[in-house]
Amino acid sequence: MNIFDAVKKSSKLLNKISANKHVHTVVRTASTISVKASEAAVDVVKEGLDSVSGQKMYDLVQERLAVQDQYNDVLAAKLHEALERIETLEGIIHAKE
């Protein structure tokens, strides 16, 4: 094999290596895109299932009920305090009569 044949063979080998690297990069990019597309599809399906199952609405109702319970507790405590103050004031008024 002469020097020219060796250079040609080396050049072809380098082209193959370069092509293999390019193919590897393309495959890795395609794989990344595929994973992202799959994740997006799962999110869309999950959102659709939540809508169909009413899970989001259920969670929202549960949250609102918890807030309403807290509000009712505060309201009951304030009402109790007000009734005690009224009772005290009525006691003072009746004592003066």
Side-chain angles (χ1 to χ4, degrees):
M1 178 184 304
N2 64 28
I3 188 92
F4 296 111
D5 291 337
V7 169
K8 282 183 183 178
K9 199 171 195 178
S10 298
S11 178
K12 287 181 182 178
L13 184 60
L14 287 174
N15 286 340
K16 285 182 181 178
I17 290 171
S18 178
N20 284 340
K21 285 182 181 178
H22 181 67
V23 167
H24 179 71
T25 301
V26 168
V27 168
R28 187 175 40 207
T29 302
S31 176
T32 302
I33 290 170
S34 174
V35 167
K36 288 181 180 180
S38 295
E39 290 171 351
V42 166
D43 290 343
V44 167
V45 169
K46 184 178 177 187
E47 188 173 315
L49 288 176
D50 284 348
S51 296
V52 170
S53 70
Q55 185 65 42
K56 285 184 181 180
M57 185 59 71
Y58 175 79
D59 292 342
L60 182 61
V61 168
Q62 291 300 319
E63 183 181 320
R64 298 278 170 96
L65 286 173
V67 170
Q68 186 66 45
D69 285 344
Q70 291 174 347
Y71 177 78
N72 288 346
D73 289 345
V74 169
L75 191 59
K78 293 296 182 182
L79 178 61
H80 180 72
E81 290 172 9
L83 290 173
E84 284 180 340
R85 289 171 58 190
I86 290 170
E87 186 178 342
T88 302
L89 291 172
E90 286 177 342
I92 292 171
I93 291 172
H94 289 302
K96 288 185 177 180
E97 294 178 345

